[in-house]
């Protein structure tokens, strides 16, 4: 597993990390034993970045990670959590007092004195652009509540605004074959500023697993059912904002280009991880087998596998099937 420097910090994180939204049971039920097994499979495969948030299962994801890591002294895992969605996402709620309350709660959940990395959780643009936001975050660093901070964003414009701030460690943004706009500006800007990029939703909520058909359905408590059109939060977080049936067709086209023995998820994760400027890709996993398969995709970065046809088809499929339907602010 490649380990890559986390911006200007002294830490390194794996090229393939683990997103843990699903451990909060927001993708259907994942019991605690299964959640521990996913974390164990990932860590044993060389994953050293766990991404979570204080609202994933109302803190369940953080608490499970905290208890898991407490049993593995010297684990070497960086935990990147997020804050800012415990109240309505209105600029007046992003205060130093709330920042302190949220980080203190995450510290308790994770069982640590200092949080490794805290990211603002897709806040309004006004928050990302405000000097007061970064003054408050700098104060949290100065008092030892957090070691570093970043911003999770929805749009390229928000990414560029965060990257321009001198103490931002990372920006988290959706990057996958269905979401190419960040490659044009956000990733080059991050590389120039030595800001890490975490690529989230890399498999487009499972569309790029290659397992779905137009007839696939999901549980009622799965966001792939209840947020398909943005009913609960930003539509772009579910299937990267593309129409489900169109996404299934696009995934089929990509699958047809794969070298023998390479799965669509593995090719996708390796392709994203190889984009200049990407520090880590953070797919989720609901089972240990999924976690191990995701981590194993990192081998494609070093073993000489030719993904040229896949990469060329990514651009062709995006232009032919997806570009017109992707909201321009993504």
């Amino acid at each position: 597993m490649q380990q890559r420097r986390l911006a200007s910090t002294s830490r390194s994180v794996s090229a393939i990390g683990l997103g843990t939204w699903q451990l909060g049971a927001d993708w259907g039920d994942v019991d605690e034993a299964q959640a521990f097994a996913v974390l164990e499979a990932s860590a044993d495969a060389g994953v050293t970045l766990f991404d979570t948030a204080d609202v994933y299962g109302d803190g369940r994801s953080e608490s499970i990670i905290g208890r898991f890591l407490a049993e593995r002294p010297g684990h070497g895992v960086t935990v990147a959590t997020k804050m800012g969605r415990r109240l309505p996402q209105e600029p007046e709620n992003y205060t130093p007092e709330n920042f302190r309350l949220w980080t203190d709660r995450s510290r308790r959940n994770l069982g640590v004195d200092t949080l490794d990395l805290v990211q603002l959780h897709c806040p309004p643009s006004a928050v990302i652009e405000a000097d007061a936001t970064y003054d408050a975050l700098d104060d949290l660093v100065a008092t030892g509540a957090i070691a570093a901070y970043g911003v999770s964003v929805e749009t390229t414009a928000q990414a560029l605004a965060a990257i321009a701030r001198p103490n931002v460690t990372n920006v988290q943004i959706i990057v996958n074959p269905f979401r190419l706009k960040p490659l044009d500006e956000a990733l080059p800007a991050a590389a120039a500023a030595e800001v890490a990029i975490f690529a989230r939703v890399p498999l487009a909520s499972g569309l790029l697993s290659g397992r779905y058909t137009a007839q696939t359905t999901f549980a009622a408590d799965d966001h792939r059912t209840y947020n398909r059109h943005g009913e609960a939060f930003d539509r772009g977080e579910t299937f990267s904002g593309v129409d489900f049936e169109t996404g299934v067709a696009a995934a089929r086209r990509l699958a047809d280009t794969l070298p023998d023995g390479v799965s669509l998820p593995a090719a996708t994760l390796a392709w994203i991880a190889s984009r200049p400027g990407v520090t880590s890709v953070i797919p989720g996993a609901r089972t240990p087998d999924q976690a191990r398969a995701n981590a194993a995709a990192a081998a494609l970065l070093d073993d000489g596998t030719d993904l040229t046809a896949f990469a060329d088809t990514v651009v062709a499929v995006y232009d032919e099937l997806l570009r017109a339907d992707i909201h321009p602010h993504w």
Side-chain angles (χ1 to χ4, degrees), residues 278-296:
V278 170
T279 301
S280 187
V281 187
I282 48 174
R286 291 184 51 148
T287 69
D289 285 346
Q290 288 177 351
R292 283 187 284 268
N294 289 343

PDB file of all heavy atoms in Angstrom, residues 278-296:
ATOM      1  N   VAL A 278      -4.274  13.938  -6.022  1.00  0.00           N
ATOM      2  CA  VAL A 278      -5.047  13.126  -5.086  1.00  0.00           C
ATOM      3  C   VAL A 278      -4.096  12.480  -4.073  1.00  0.00           C
ATOM      4  O   VAL A 278      -3.122  11.825  -4.447  1.00  0.00           O
ATOM      5  CB  VAL A 278      -5.858  12.035  -5.814  1.00  0.00           C
ATOM      6  CG1 VAL A 278      -6.451  11.041  -4.816  1.00  0.00           C
ATOM      7  CG2 VAL A 278      -6.970  12.669  -6.643  1.00  0.00           C
ATOM      8  N   THR A 279      -4.397  12.683  -2.785  1.00  0.00           N
ATOM      9  CA  THR A 279      -3.601  12.063  -1.727  1.00  0.00           C
ATOM     10  C   THR A 279      -4.168  10.710  -1.344  1.00  0.00           C
ATOM     11  O   THR A 279      -3.434   9.732  -1.229  1.00  0.00           O
ATOM     12  CB  THR A 279      -3.557  12.976  -0.485  1.00  0.00           C
ATOM     13  OG1 THR A 279      -2.996  14.245  -0.856  1.00  0.00           O
ATOM     14  CG2 THR A 279      -2.724  12.361   0.630  1.00  0.00           C
ATOM     15  N   SER A 280      -5.489  10.639  -1.150  1.00  0.00           N
ATOM     16  CA  SER A 280      -6.109   9.385  -0.755  1.00  0.00           C
ATOM     17  C   SER A 280      -7.523   9.304  -1.310  1.00  0.00           C
ATOM     18  O   SER A 280      -8.216  10.327  -1.436  1.00  0.00           O
ATOM     19  CB  SER A 280      -6.150   9.253   0.770  1.00  0.00           C
ATOM     20  OG  SER A 280      -6.596   7.964   1.168  1.00  0.00           O
ATOM     21  N   VAL A 281      -7.928   8.095  -1.635  1.00  0.00           N
ATOM     22  CA  VAL A 281      -9.289   7.804  -2.078  1.00  0.00           C
ATOM     23  C   VAL A 281      -9.983   7.084  -0.927  1.00  0.00           C
ATOM     24  O   VAL A 281      -9.402   6.177  -0.320  1.00  0.00           O
ATOM     25  CB  VAL A 281      -9.287   6.904  -3.332  1.00  0.00           C
ATOM     26  CG1 VAL A 281     -10.697   6.744  -3.878  1.00  0.00           C
ATOM     27  CG2 VAL A 281      -8.355   7.474  -4.392  1.00  0.00           C
ATOM     28  N   ILE A 282     -11.219   7.464  -0.615  1.00  0.00           N
ATOM     29  CA  ILE A 282     -11.843   6.936   0.598  1.00  0.00           C
ATOM     30  C   ILE A 282     -13.167   6.222   0.299  1.00  0.00           C
ATOM     31  O   ILE A 282     -14.242   6.712   0.628  1.00  0.00           O
ATOM     32  CB  ILE A 282     -12.032   8.042   1.662  1.00  0.00           C
ATOM     33  CG1 ILE A 282     -12.672   9.297   1.067  1.00  0.00           C
ATOM     34  CG2 ILE A 282     -10.685   8.399   2.284  1.00  0.00           C
ATOM     35  CD1 ILE A 282     -13.009  10.355   2.126  1.00  0.00           C
ATOM     36  N   PRO A 283     -13.091   5.025  -0.301  1.00  0.00           N
ATOM     37  CA  PRO A 283     -14.307   4.249  -0.511  1.00  0.00           C
ATOM     38  C   PRO A 283     -14.835   3.702   0.806  1.00  0.00           C
ATOM     39  O   PRO A 283     -14.076   3.481   1.757  1.00  0.00           O
ATOM     40  CB  PRO A 283     -13.831   3.103  -1.416  1.00  0.00           C
ATOM     41  CG  PRO A 283     -12.406   2.902  -1.006  1.00  0.00           C
ATOM     42  CD  PRO A 283     -11.881   4.296  -0.724  1.00  0.00           C
ATOM     43  N   GLY A 284     -16.120   3.468   0.862  1.00  0.00           N
ATOM     44  CA  GLY A 284     -16.699   2.781   2.000  1.00  0.00           C
ATOM     45  C   GLY A 284     -16.678   1.280   1.779  1.00  0.00           C
ATOM     46  O   GLY A 284     -16.386   0.788   0.689  1.00  0.00           O
ATOM     47  N   ALA A 285     -16.977   0.544   2.832  1.00  0.00           N
ATOM     48  CA  ALA A 285     -17.070  -0.916   2.739  1.00  0.00           C
ATOM     49  C   ALA A 285     -18.004  -1.391   3.836  1.00  0.00           C
ATOM     50  O   ALA A 285     -17.889  -0.964   4.990  1.00  0.00           O
ATOM     51  CB  ALA A 285     -15.698  -1.568   2.894  1.00  0.00           C
ATOM     52  N   ARG A 286     -18.908  -2.291   3.474  1.00  0.00           N
ATOM     53  CA  ARG A 286     -19.842  -2.833   4.461  1.00  0.00           C
ATOM     54  C   ARG A 286     -19.435  -4.213   4.946  1.00  0.00           C
ATOM     55  O   ARG A 286     -19.953  -4.699   5.941  1.00  0.00           O
ATOM     56  CB  ARG A 286     -21.254  -2.908   3.866  1.00  0.00           C
ATOM     57  CG  ARG A 286     -21.876  -1.560   3.642  1.00  0.00           C
ATOM     58  CD  ARG A 286     -23.300  -1.689   3.135  1.00  0.00           C
ATOM     59  NE  ARG A 286     -24.102  -2.576   3.969  1.00  0.00           N
ATOM     60  CZ  ARG A 286     -25.399  -2.425   4.158  1.00  0.00           C
ATOM     61  NH1 ARG A 286     -26.038  -1.421   3.586  1.00  0.00           N
ATOM     62  NH2 ARG A 286     -26.067  -3.275   4.896  1.00  0.00           N
ATOM     63  N   THR A 287     -18.511  -4.846   4.242  1.00  0.00           N
ATOM     64  CA  THR A 287     -18.056  -6.186   4.630  1.00  0.00           C
ATOM     65  C   THR A 287     -16.532  -6.226   4.601  1.00  0.00           C
ATOM     66  O   THR A 287     -15.891  -5.441   3.889  1.00  0.00           O
ATOM     67  CB  THR A 287     -18.591  -7.261   3.668  1.00  0.00           C
ATOM     68  OG1 THR A 287     -17.958  -7.107   2.382  1.00  0.00           O
ATOM     69  CG2 THR A 287     -20.108  -7.167   3.513  1.00  0.00           C
ATOM     70  N   PRO A 288     -15.927  -7.162   5.341  1.00  0.00           N
ATOM     71  CA  PRO A 288     -14.469  -7.295   5.284  1.00  0.00           C
ATOM     72  C   PRO A 288     -13.966  -7.595   3.879  1.00  0.00           C
ATOM     73  O   PRO A 288     -12.904  -7.094   3.476  1.00  0.00           O
ATOM     74  CB  PRO A 288     -14.191  -8.452   6.245  1.00  0.00           C
ATOM     75  CG  PRO A 288     -15.338  -8.447   7.190  1.00  0.00           C
ATOM     76  CD  PRO A 288     -16.530  -8.029   6.381  1.00  0.00           C
ATOM     77  N   ASP A 289     -14.691  -8.402   3.134  1.00  0.00           N
ATOM     78  CA  ASP A 289     -14.257  -8.713   1.773  1.00  0.00           C
ATOM     79  C   ASP A 289     -14.209  -7.449   0.908  1.00  0.00           C
ATOM     80  O   ASP A 289     -13.271  -7.270   0.108  1.00  0.00           O
ATOM     81  CB  ASP A 289     -15.193  -9.742   1.133  1.00  0.00           C
ATOM     82  CG  ASP A 289     -14.964 -11.148   1.664  1.00  0.00           C
ATOM     83  OD1 ASP A 289     -13.921 -11.373   2.321  1.00  0.00           O
ATOM     84  OD2 ASP A 289     -15.829 -12.011   1.432  1.00  0.00           O
ATOM     85  N   GLN A 290     -15.206  -6.590   1.046  1.00  0.00           N
ATOM     86  CA  GLN A 290     -15.186  -5.324   0.302  1.00  0.00           C
ATOM     87  C   GLN A 290     -13.999  -4.478   0.729  1.00  0.00           C
ATOM     88  O   GLN A 290     -13.327  -3.867  -0.113  1.00  0.00           O
ATOM     89  CB  GLN A 290     -16.488  -4.554   0.527  1.00  0.00           C
ATOM     90  CG  GLN A 290     -17.697  -5.141  -0.143  1.00  0.00           C
ATOM     91  CD  GLN A 290     -18.967  -4.371   0.180  1.00  0.00           C
ATOM     92  OE1 GLN A 290     -18.981  -3.490   1.044  1.00  0.00           O
ATOM     93  NE2 GLN A 290     -20.044  -4.709  -0.507  1.00  0.00           N
ATOM     94  N   ALA A 291     -13.734  -4.428   2.022  1.00  0.00           N
ATOM     95  CA  ALA A 291     -12.609  -3.627   2.527  1.00  0.00           C
ATOM     96  C   ALA A 291     -11.286  -4.128   1.963  1.00  0.00           C
ATOM     97  O   ALA A 291     -10.433  -3.337   1.542  1.00  0.00           O
ATOM     98  CB  ALA A 291     -12.592  -3.662   4.053  1.00  0.00           C
ATOM     99  N   ARG A 292     -11.109  -5.451   1.962  1.00  0.00           N
ATOM    100  CA  ARG A 292      -9.861  -6.009   1.427  1.00  0.00           C
ATOM    101  C   ARG A 292      -9.741  -5.768  -0.078  1.00  0.00           C
ATOM    102  O   ARG A 292      -8.651  -5.456  -0.582  1.00  0.00           O
ATOM    103  CB  ARG A 292      -9.801  -7.515   1.736  1.00  0.00           C
ATOM    104  CG  ARG A 292      -9.427  -7.823   3.175  1.00  0.00           C
ATOM    105  CD  ARG A 292      -9.216  -9.310   3.394  1.00  0.00           C
ATOM    106  NE  ARG A 292     -10.490 -10.022   3.462  1.00  0.00           N
ATOM    107  CZ  ARG A 292     -11.149 -10.270   4.594  1.00  0.00           C
ATOM    108  NH1 ARG A 292     -10.650  -9.871   5.756  1.00  0.00           N
ATOM    109  NH2 ARG A 292     -12.286 -10.935   4.576  1.00  0.00           N
ATOM    110  N   ALA A 293     -10.842  -5.882  -0.793  1.00  0.00           N
ATOM    111  CA  ALA A 293     -10.803  -5.657  -2.238  1.00  0.00           C
ATOM    112  C   ALA A 293     -10.462  -4.207  -2.552  1.00  0.00           C
ATOM    113  O   ALA A 293      -9.686  -3.917  -3.474  1.00  0.00           O
ATOM    114  CB  ALA A 293     -12.139  -6.041  -2.861  1.00  0.00           C
ATOM    115  N   ASN A 294     -11.044  -3.280  -1.798  1.00  0.00           N
ATOM    116  CA  ASN A 294     -10.734  -1.866  -2.008  1.00  0.00           C
ATOM    117  C   ASN A 294      -9.257  -1.599  -1.788  1.00  0.00           C
ATOM    118  O   ASN A 294      -8.586  -0.934  -2.596  1.00  0.00           O
ATOM    119  CB  ASN A 294     -11.567  -0.990  -1.068  1.00  0.00           C
ATOM    120  CG  ASN A 294     -13.034  -0.939  -1.436  1.00  0.00           C
ATOM    121  OD1 ASN A 294     -13.427  -1.278  -2.548  1.00  0.00           O
ATOM    122  ND2 ASN A 294     -13.859  -0.506  -0.499  1.00  0.00           N
ATOM    123  N   ALA A 295      -8.730  -2.102  -0.687  1.00  0.00           N
ATOM    124  CA  ALA A 295      -7.316  -1.880  -0.386  1.00  0.00           C
ATOM    125  C   ALA A 295      -6.416  -2.513  -1.436  1.00  0.00           C
ATOM    126  O   ALA A 295      -5.378  -1.949  -1.812  1.00  0.00           O
ATOM    127  CB  ALA A 295      -6.991  -2.437   1.003  1.00  0.00           C
ATOM    128  N   ALA A 296      -6.814  -3.676  -1.942  1.00  0.00           N
ATOM    129  CA  ALA A 296      -5.992  -4.376  -2.929  1.00  0.00           C
ATOM    130  C   ALA A 296      -5.883  -3.608  -4.233  1.00  0.00           C
ATOM    131  O   ALA A 296      -4.940  -3.822  -5.010  1.00  0.00           O
ATOM    132  CB  ALA A 296      -6.572  -5.770  -3.196  1.00  0.00           C
TER     133      ALA A 296
END
